Amino acid sequence: MLEISMEELVDDTWNNRVEARGNVEIRYYGEILLADEFAFDRSTRKLTAEGNVSLTEADGKVSRTHYLLLNAELRTAFVNYVRRQRIRIDR
């Protein structure tokens, strides 16, 4: 199950991206992923997390980085969330 919170969800048609911005928190099957921004690139079909990225795993282990390319399972969950917000993914 996916839970997501953010300050804004932006359909950036100029750059062909959908961006979740501002203190983004994704909770997914016991893991918590935090970042300044998540971006789904419609052209490459990739989901990235950028800026102050922190992953807390279910066992409590914490990893930090500035940039993270996310796996297909989380990408699919994010895309489904965006579609529920009535933002088109396929252009």
Side-chain angles (χ1 to χ4, degrees):
M1 179 167 87
L2 175 86
E3 295 177 41
I4 184 170
S5 63
M6 73 211 78
E7 291 174 9
E8 63 181 335
L9 185 63
V10 177
D11 185 0
D12 181 355
T13 55
W14 182 260
N15 292 306
N16 205 24
R17 294 164 38 122
V18 176
E19 300 172 352
R21 297 181 186 160
N23 300 313
V24 185
E25 179 176 325
I26 293 180
R27 293 177 176 263
Y28 192 66
Y29 291 104
E31 296 183 343
I32 303 169
L33 188 56
L34 307 171
D36 294 336
E37 176 180 292
F38 283 79
F40 175 75
D41 187 309
R42 290 182 177 104
S43 301
T44 64
R45 312 292 294 170
K46 292 182 180 176
L47 177 65
T48 57
E50 298 180 41
N52 299 309
V53 180
S54 170
L55 171 64
T56 304
E57 297 180 41
D59 65 3
K61 179 183 171 190
V62 178
S63 302
R64 298 186 199 304
T65 186
H66 181 71
Y67 175 88
L68 186 63
L69 177 62
L70 300 163
N71 68 26
E73 185 179 348
L74 188 52
R75 180 192 66 221
T76 299
F78 182 82
V79 165
N80 289 337
Y81 171 83
V82 169
R83 285 185 174 134
R84 287 193 304 274
Q85 306 310 307
R86 304 206 191 295
I87 294 178
R88 288 190 55 195
I89 291 296
D90 302 307
R91 297 259 181 209

